Amino acid sequence: MAAAAVTREGGEDAFRRLFRFYRQRDASDLRGVLDFSAPGGQVFRSQLSVSSVSDQDAYRAGLQPVSQWKAYGLSGYPGFIFIPNPFLPGCQRHWVKQCLKLYPEKPNVCNLDLHMAPEKTTDLWGQSKEQLRRRGSSKWEPRSLLEKLRWVTLGYHYNWDTKKYSANHHTPFPSDLAFLSEQVAAACGFRGFQAQAGILNYYHFDSSLGIHVDESELDHSRPLLSFSFGQSSIFLLGGLKREEAPTAMFMHSGDIMVMSGFSRLLYHAVPRVLPNPEGTALPSCLDQALSSDLPVGSVIEHSSDEDWQVCAKYLQSSRINMTIRQVLAEGQKFPEESGTNGKGQGPSEDSYHENSKAKRHKPNTV
C-alpha cells in the first residue's frame, strides 16, 4: 500500500511523512484510509452506556436514541470511540449556524481579534452574509470575514502562546453545546462530564490541522469530544511519539470522535479536507429538514431558510470542527500564575492550521 511505503522513507518522523503524503493535493491513493461507514480489519463494535442518556435527553440534544447509535473502537487505541453521524435529521444545521452566527460573537475569542480592531470583529455574520450568499465559483472573489475565520475559543480561552488555560480569561460556555457534550460523554461512559472549554476550527479545501497533542487541560481523565460538520476530512491518529506511524481515517459530516484513556494524549492531525464522497455540493445529511415538532426543552432551534442559505454556501467549500474539553477536575483550581495576562494569543510555531500556500508550521490566522 502506498501510504505504508511512505512511512518507511528516511529523513523525518513517521507521522510527518504520512501527514505530507495525505497533504499533497494530488494524493489519489486513499486505500489506506479507514471508512467507518464500511468498517473492517482493526475496527470493532464498541459498547455504549445506553441507560446513561434517556431518549428524551437525546432528542433534546438533537440526537437519535443512544440505542440506535453505532460506535466503533480501533485495535491498538484503547479509549478511542468513533460514532458515525448520530444526529437526528436537520439537527446538524443548528450547530453549523451556531458556529457561524453565534459562537464567533463577543465575548468569545477568534483569530481575527489578533489583528483587527474590536469594532471590526463584531457581527461577523452580519458583515459576511450577503457576500457569502452571492458568492460564485470564482476563486478570485474577495473573502468575507467569516471565510477568514480559522478558530474560535469558548469557555476557558486557550492561550496559543503559553499553551495554557487560566482562571482570568473565561467567558460563559454556551448552554446548548454543553448539553450536547454532556449527553455524548455520558453515552460513552463519562457521566458528570463538564464542558468547560471549546476550540472551534474552520477549514477550507486548502486547510489542514498540524500535528499536536491536546494536553493543556489539567484533568486528562475526562475525554476530548470532537464533532465535524460539512465537507469530509482525513484524520490521522498516532501514538505517544511522532516516530509511530498514525492510522488514517475519514471523518464525514455529523461524525463524532471521543478520545479518552490511553488515546487521550496521542498525537493527531488533519492533513487534508476533501469533498464529501457523495459527489454533491453538500452531504445529503445536511439537506434534511428539521422536524417541526421539537421536544420540550430542546436546545435545537429552527434555522430560517435565509440563514441556512448562507450556511450552505459556506459549507460548499468548508468544514467545521468543534472540540470540547473539561479543563479542571471537580473541585480543582488553576495554579497561581505570574506575569501573564491570560489573553488568548494566536498560534505560533507549531500552529494549529497549515495552508498549502504557506511554509510549514506558518500559522494560517486570516
Side-chain angles (χ1 to χ4, degrees):
M1 192 172 296
V6 170
T7 66
R8 291 195 291 269
E9 295 175 6
E12 55 187 345
D13 65 69
F15 201 127
R16 168 57 66 178
R17 286 196 292 276
L18 206 57
F19 182 96
R20 250 187 339 106
F21 174 80
Y22 286 118
R23 182 76 184 101
Q24 293 166 353
R25 299 300 299 162
D26 59 351
S28 57
D29 186 355
L30 302 181
R31 289 173 297 168
V33 184
L34 288 176
D35 193 335
F36 286 92
S37 63
Q42 66 186 111
V43 176
F44 59 88
R45 285 296 291 266
S46 190
Q47 295 300 309
L48 293 169
S49 182
V50 175
S51 62
S52 295
V53 180
S54 69
D55 289 357
Q56 184 69 10
D57 280 345
Y59 288 141
R60 288 176 58 208
L63 298 164
Q64 300 173 31
V66 177
S67 59
Q68 296 181 22
W69 298 8
K70 292 180 180 177
Y72 300 99
L74 276 179
S75 298
Y77 297 95
F80 176 79
I81 304 170
F82 193 103
I83 306 168
N85 182 15
F87 288 93
L88 289 167
C91 290
Q92 288 188 52
R93 292 186 175 192
H94 170 84
W95 303 109
V96 172
K97 186 190 72 173
Q98 297 296 78
C99 287
L100 291 175
K101 187 174 183 178
L102 183 67
Y103 297 159
E105 291 297 287
K106 300 294 169 284
N108 299 329
V109 181
C110 72
N111 62 288
L112 300 178
D113 297 324
L114 305 179
H115 49 84
M116 294 178 68
E119 62 271 15
K120 295 284 183 65
T121 60
T122 57
D123 194 19
L124 299 181
W125 175 269
Q127 295 186 65
S128 305
K129 61 182 182 180
E130 288 306 321
Q131 191 176 346
L132 265 171
R133 191 179 289 116
R134 294 192 309 268
R135 174 165 297 290
S137 57
S138 171
K139 294 182 179 179
W140 308 112
E141 294 178 63
R143 290 183 302 164
S144 64
L145 286 177
L146 272 181
E147 291 170 294
K148 295 180 180 179
L149 202 57
R150 286 296 176 265
W151 52 261
V152 167
T153 53
L154 310 171
Y156 287 113
H157 296 284
Y158 186 68
N159 185 313
W160 302 88
D161 265 1
T162 64
K163 294 182 170 53
K164 292 181 180 179
Y165 301 94
S166 65
N168 61 354
H169 197 43
H170 174 268
T171 56
F173 194 93
S175 58
D176 58 347
L177 185 51
F179 186 75
L180 169 69
S181 303
E182 288 158 10
Q183 307 319 306
V184 171
C188 294
F190 296 95
R191 297 184 75 162
F193 175 85
Q194 298 176 48
Q196 297 175 336
I199 297 179
L200 316 179
N201 279 292
Y202 301 79
Y203 301 84
H204 306 297
F205 284 134
D206 62 350
S207 306
S208 62
L209 176 70
I211 304 165
H212 68 287
V213 176
D214 291 296
E215 58 186 357
S216 300
E217 296 73 30
L218 275 65
D219 181 14
H220 293 156
S221 70
R222 310 306 274 171
L224 177 76
L225 311 179
S226 172
F227 303 85
S228 287
F229 305 106
Q231 301 299 324
S232 299
S233 69
I234 296 173
F235 179 80
L236 298 179
L237 181 62
L240 295 170
K241 298 179 180 179
R242 286 175 53 145
E243 287 70 28
E244 299 176 49
T247 296
M249 62 196 79
F250 288 113
M251 284 198 76
H252 303 304
S253 193
D255 290 350
I256 300 174
M257 286 193 319
V258 178
M259 296 172 68
S260 68
F262 171 80
S263 294
R264 178 64 179 77
L265 295 174
L266 299 182
Y267 278 100
H268 54 279
V270 176
R272 191 164 169 211
V273 176
L274 301 162
N276 94 81
E278 299 168 78
T280 50
L282 288 182
S284 57
C285 59
L286 291 171
D287 290 334
Q288 298 168 305
L290 188 63
S291 170
S292 57
D293 54 339
L294 293 170
V296 175
S298 175
V299 301
I300 303 297
E301 301 170 345
H302 284 94
S303 297
S304 69
D305 291 342
E306 180 186 16
D307 281 358
W308 180 246
Q309 189 181 16
V310 176
C311 292
K313 199 73 169 183
Y314 176 89
L315 287 183
Q316 285 180 9
S317 59
S318 305
R319 168 183 180 254
I320 298 172
N321 178 256
M322 311 187 300
T323 56
I324 313 303
R325 307 110 190 283
Q326 178 170 334
V327 177
L328 300 167
E330 189 74 38
Q332 189 177 21
K333 294 184 178 180
F334 288 100
E336 291 293 325
E337 294 186 42
S338 59
T340 61
N341 61 10
K343 294 293 286 181
Q345 303 298 317
S348 52
E349 191 271 331
D350 194 16
S351 71
Y352 242 46
H353 282 278
E354 301 186 18
N355 186 286
S356 59
K357 299 186 178 90
K359 293 181 179 177
R360 200 169 78 193
H361 291 306
K362 183 178 180 182
N364 180 7
T365 53
V366 293

